[in-house]
PDB file of all heavy atoms in Angstrom:
ATOM      1  N   GLU K1364      13.096  -6.042  -0.292  1.00  0.00           N
ATOM      2  CA  GLU K1364      13.927  -5.047   0.401  1.00  0.00           C
ATOM      3  C   GLU K1364      14.616  -4.085  -0.536  1.00  0.00           C
ATOM      4  O   GLU K1364      14.719  -2.905  -0.280  1.00  0.00           O
ATOM      5  CB  GLU K1364      14.993  -5.739   1.271  1.00  0.00           C
ATOM      6  CG  GLU K1364      14.449  -6.423   2.524  1.00  0.00           C
ATOM      7  CD  GLU K1364      14.125  -7.878   2.285  1.00  0.00           C
ATOM      8  OE1 GLU K1364      13.911  -8.262   1.119  1.00  0.00           O
ATOM      9  OE2 GLU K1364      14.069  -8.614   3.253  1.00  0.00           O
ATOM     10  N   SER K1365      15.134  -4.630  -1.643  1.00  0.00           N
ATOM     11  CA  SER K1365      15.863  -3.779  -2.591  1.00  0.00           C
ATOM     12  C   SER K1365      14.955  -2.739  -3.223  1.00  0.00           C
ATOM     13  O   SER K1365      15.345  -1.592  -3.426  1.00  0.00           O
ATOM     14  CB  SER K1365      16.540  -4.626  -3.674  1.00  0.00           C
ATOM     15  OG  SER K1365      15.571  -5.413  -4.364  1.00  0.00           O
ATOM     16  N   HIS K1366      13.709  -3.120  -3.478  1.00  0.00           N
ATOM     17  CA  HIS K1366      12.743  -2.151  -4.050  1.00  0.00           C
ATOM     18  C   HIS K1366      12.429  -1.071  -3.011  1.00  0.00           C
ATOM     19  O   HIS K1366      12.395   0.126  -3.364  1.00  0.00           O
ATOM     20  CB  HIS K1366      11.455  -2.868  -4.446  1.00  0.00           C
ATOM     21  CG  HIS K1366      10.413  -1.955  -4.982  1.00  0.00           C
ATOM     22  ND1 HIS K1366      10.473  -1.394  -6.241  1.00  0.00           N
ATOM     23  CD2 HIS K1366       9.281  -1.456  -4.396  1.00  0.00           C
ATOM     24  CE1 HIS K1366       9.440  -0.593  -6.410  1.00  0.00           C
ATOM     25  NE2 HIS K1366       8.678  -0.612  -5.321  1.00  0.00           N
ATOM     26  N   ILE K1367      12.213  -1.473  -1.776  1.00  0.00           N
ATOM     27  CA  ILE K1367      11.919  -0.505  -0.734  1.00  0.00           C
ATOM     28  C   ILE K1367      13.110   0.431  -0.519  1.00  0.00           C
ATOM     29  O   ILE K1367      12.927   1.655  -0.391  1.00  0.00           O
ATOM     30  CB  ILE K1367      11.571  -1.241   0.578  1.00  0.00           C
ATOM     31  CG1 ILE K1367      10.208  -1.924   0.418  1.00  0.00           C
ATOM     32  CG2 ILE K1367      11.529  -0.276   1.753  1.00  0.00           C
ATOM     33  CD1 ILE K1367       9.799  -2.797   1.592  1.00  0.00           C
ATOM     34  N   ASN K1368      14.306  -0.109  -0.518  1.00  0.00           N
ATOM     35  CA  ASN K1368      15.505   0.753  -0.371  1.00  0.00           C
ATOM     36  C   ASN K1368      15.577   1.777  -1.494  1.00  0.00           C
ATOM     37  O   ASN K1368      15.924   2.949  -1.269  1.00  0.00           O
ATOM     38  CB  ASN K1368      16.750  -0.112  -0.367  1.00  0.00           C
ATOM     39  CG  ASN K1368      16.894  -0.935   0.902  1.00  0.00           C
ATOM     40  OD1 ASN K1368      16.347  -0.574   1.935  1.00  0.00           O
ATOM     41  ND2 ASN K1368      17.616  -2.037   0.827  1.00  0.00           N
ATOM     42  N   LYS K1369      15.237   1.344  -2.703  1.00  0.00           N
ATOM     43  CA  LYS K1369      15.314   2.233  -3.869  1.00  0.00           C
ATOM     44  C   LYS K1369      14.305   3.348  -3.784  1.00  0.00           C
ATOM     45  O   LYS K1369      14.655   4.541  -3.955  1.00  0.00           O
ATOM     46  CB  LYS K1369      15.103   1.419  -5.157  1.00  0.00           C
ATOM     47  CG  LYS K1369      15.182   2.282  -6.435  1.00  0.00           C
ATOM     48  CD  LYS K1369      14.868   1.444  -7.678  1.00  0.00           C
ATOM     49  CE  LYS K1369      13.408   1.138  -7.757  1.00  0.00           C
ATOM     50  NZ  LYS K1369      13.049   0.478  -9.054  1.00  0.00           N
ATOM     51  N   ILE K1370      13.038   3.030  -3.496  1.00  0.00           N
ATOM     52  CA  ILE K1370      12.004   4.078  -3.508  1.00  0.00           C
ATOM     53  C   ILE K1370      12.159   4.999  -2.300  1.00  0.00           C
ATOM     54  O   ILE K1370      11.879   6.198  -2.406  1.00  0.00           O
ATOM     55  CB  ILE K1370      10.589   3.464  -3.546  1.00  0.00           C
ATOM     56  CG1 ILE K1370      10.301   2.598  -2.290  1.00  0.00           C
ATOM     57  CG2 ILE K1370      10.379   2.652  -4.827  1.00  0.00           C
ATOM     58  CD1 ILE K1370       8.855   2.102  -2.218  1.00  0.00           C
ATOM     59  N   VAL K1371      12.594   4.465  -1.180  1.00  0.00           N
ATOM     60  CA  VAL K1371      12.801   5.316   0.011  1.00  0.00           C
ATOM     61  C   VAL K1371      13.935   6.293  -0.239  1.00  0.00           C
ATOM     62  O   VAL K1371      13.847   7.467   0.124  1.00  0.00           O
ATOM     63  CB  VAL K1371      13.086   4.447   1.246  1.00  0.00           C
ATOM     64  CG1 VAL K1371      13.621   5.306   2.406  1.00  0.00           C
ATOM     65  CG2 VAL K1371      11.819   3.723   1.679  1.00  0.00           C
ATOM     66  N   SER K1372      14.995   5.822  -0.893  1.00  0.00           N
ATOM     67  CA  SER K1372      16.115   6.704  -1.213  1.00  0.00           C
ATOM     68  C   SER K1372      15.675   7.847  -2.140  1.00  0.00           C
ATOM     69  O   SER K1372      15.998   9.002  -1.895  1.00  0.00           O
ATOM     70  CB  SER K1372      17.229   5.889  -1.882  1.00  0.00           C
ATOM     71  OG  SER K1372      18.288   6.720  -2.268  1.00  0.00           O
ATOM     72  N   LYS K1373      14.904   7.522  -3.157  1.00  0.00           N
ATOM     73  CA  LYS K1373      14.412   8.559  -4.074  1.00  0.00           C
ATOM     74  C   LYS K1373      13.479   9.523  -3.353  1.00  0.00           C
ATOM     75  O   LYS K1373      13.547  10.737  -3.569  1.00  0.00           O
ATOM     76  CB  LYS K1373      13.679   7.913  -5.232  1.00  0.00           C
ATOM     77  CG  LYS K1373      14.571   7.200  -6.267  1.00  0.00           C
ATOM     78  CD  LYS K1373      13.723   6.677  -7.424  1.00  0.00           C
ATOM     79  CE  LYS K1373      14.593   6.023  -8.476  1.00  0.00           C
ATOM     80  NZ  LYS K1373      13.783   5.493  -9.605  1.00  0.00           N
ATOM     81  N   ALA K1374      12.607   8.989  -2.513  1.00  0.00           N
ATOM     82  CA  ALA K1374      11.644   9.821  -1.809  1.00  0.00           C
ATOM     83  C   ALA K1374      12.347  10.771  -0.833  1.00  0.00           C
ATOM     84  O   ALA K1374      11.931  11.932  -0.677  1.00  0.00           O
ATOM     85  CB  ALA K1374      10.632   8.962  -1.066  1.00  0.00           C
ATOM     86  N   ARG K1375      13.394  10.307  -0.164  1.00  0.00           N
ATOM     87  CA  ARG K1375      14.107  11.159   0.746  1.00  0.00           C
ATOM     88  C   ARG K1375      14.789  12.313   0.023  1.00  0.00           C
ATOM     89  O   ARG K1375      14.827  13.437   0.504  1.00  0.00           O
ATOM     90  CB  ARG K1375      15.156  10.342   1.513  1.00  0.00           C
ATOM     91  CG  ARG K1375      14.527   9.466   2.620  1.00  0.00           C
ATOM     92  CD  ARG K1375      15.560   8.563   3.275  1.00  0.00           C
ATOM     93  NE  ARG K1375      14.979   7.825   4.383  1.00  0.00           N
ATOM     94  CZ  ARG K1375      15.575   6.802   5.001  1.00  0.00           C
ATOM     95  NH1 ARG K1375      16.778   6.413   4.617  1.00  0.00           N
ATOM     96  NH2 ARG K1375      14.969   6.202   5.995  1.00  0.00           N
ATOM     97  N   ILE K1376      15.324  12.013  -1.157  1.00  0.00           N
ATOM     98  CA  ILE K1376      15.983  13.070  -1.944  1.00  0.00           C
ATOM     99  C   ILE K1376      14.957  14.118  -2.372  1.00  0.00           C
ATOM    100  O   ILE K1376      15.218  15.334  -2.272  1.00  0.00           O
ATOM    101  CB  ILE K1376      16.671  12.448  -3.176  1.00  0.00           C
ATOM    102  CG1 ILE K1376      17.870  11.611  -2.770  1.00  0.00           C
ATOM    103  CG2 ILE K1376      17.108  13.538  -4.151  1.00  0.00           C
ATOM    104  CD1 ILE K1376      18.505  10.823  -3.889  1.00  0.00           C
ATOM    105  N   ARG K1377      13.786  13.669  -2.829  1.00  0.00           N
ATOM    106  CA  ARG K1377      12.756  14.631  -3.247  1.00  0.00           C
ATOM    107  C   ARG K1377      12.243  15.436  -2.063  1.00  0.00           C
ATOM    108  O   ARG K1377      11.966  16.632  -2.185  1.00  0.00           O
ATOM    109  CB  ARG K1377      11.614  13.894  -3.935  1.00  0.00           C
ATOM    110  CG  ARG K1377      11.972  13.404  -5.332  1.00  0.00           C
ATOM    111  CD  ARG K1377      10.742  13.043  -6.104  1.00  0.00           C
ATOM    112  NE  ARG K1377      11.083  12.411  -7.364  1.00  0.00           N
ATOM    113  CZ  ARG K1377      10.187  11.983  -8.248  1.00  0.00           C
ATOM    114  NH1 ARG K1377       8.880  12.134  -8.002  1.00  0.00           N
ATOM    115  NH2 ARG K1377      10.563  11.407  -9.375  1.00  0.00           N
ATOM    116  N   SER K1378      12.097  14.809  -0.904  1.00  0.00           N
ATOM    117  CA  SER K1378      11.646  15.530   0.280  1.00  0.00           C
ATOM    118  C   SER K1378      12.646  16.611   0.636  1.00  0.00           C
ATOM    119  O   SER K1378      12.255  17.757   0.978  1.00  0.00           O
ATOM    120  CB  SER K1378      11.518  14.555   1.465  1.00  0.00           C
ATOM    121  OG  SER K1378      10.493  13.608   1.235  1.00  0.00           O
ATOM    122  N   TYR K1379      13.935  16.297   0.541  1.00  0.00           N
ATOM    123  CA  TYR K1379      14.987  17.263   0.845  1.00  0.00           C
ATOM    124  C   TYR K1379      14.932  18.429  -0.158  1.00  0.00           C
ATOM    125  O   TYR K1379      15.056  19.602   0.234  1.00  0.00           O
ATOM    126  CB  TYR K1379      16.348  16.585   0.787  1.00  0.00           C
ATOM    127  CG  TYR K1379      17.498  17.537   0.843  1.00  0.00           C
ATOM    128  CD1 TYR K1379      17.876  18.139   2.065  1.00  0.00           C
ATOM    129  CD2 TYR K1379      18.207  17.877  -0.306  1.00  0.00           C
ATOM    130  CE1 TYR K1379      18.945  19.020   2.119  1.00  0.00           C
ATOM    131  CE2 TYR K1379      19.276  18.751  -0.259  1.00  0.00           C
ATOM    132  CZ  TYR K1379      19.639  19.328   0.943  1.00  0.00           C
ATOM    133  OH  TYR K1379      20.674  20.212   0.995  1.00  0.00           O
ATOM    134  N   LEU K1380      14.719  18.101  -1.421  1.00  0.00           N
ATOM    135  CA  LEU K1380      14.675  19.151  -2.458  1.00  0.00           C
ATOM    136  C   LEU K1380      13.489  20.080  -2.276  1.00  0.00           C
ATOM    137  O   LEU K1380      13.588  21.274  -2.521  1.00  0.00           O
ATOM    138  CB  LEU K1380      14.644  18.511  -3.856  1.00  0.00           C
ATOM    139  CG  LEU K1380      15.957  17.814  -4.295  1.00  0.00           C
ATOM    140  CD1 LEU K1380      15.730  17.121  -5.634  1.00  0.00           C
ATOM    141  CD2 LEU K1380      17.097  18.805  -4.383  1.00  0.00           C
ATOM    142  N   ILE K1381      12.369  19.520  -1.827  1.00  0.00           N
ATOM    143  CA  ILE K1381      11.186  20.377  -1.582  1.00  0.00           C
ATOM    144  C   ILE K1381      11.507  21.396  -0.490  1.00  0.00           C
ATOM    145  O   ILE K1381      11.226  22.583  -0.620  1.00  0.00           O
ATOM    146  CB  ILE K1381       9.971  19.505  -1.203  1.00  0.00           C
ATOM    147  CG1 ILE K1381       9.450  18.770  -2.423  1.00  0.00           C
ATOM    148  CG2 ILE K1381       8.872  20.373  -0.568  1.00  0.00           C
ATOM    149  CD1 ILE K1381       8.335  17.807  -2.111  1.00  0.00           C
TER     150      ILE K1381
END
Side-chain angles (χ1 to χ4, degrees):
E1364 287 93 339
S1365 56
H1366 178 75
I1367 290 174
N1368 289 336
K1369 181 184 73 173
I1370 62 174
V1371 166
S1372 177
K1373 287 184 177 180
R1375 284 175 176 169
I1376 291 173
R1377 287 196 187 179
S1378 294
Y1379 170 77
L1380 290 175
I1381 288 175

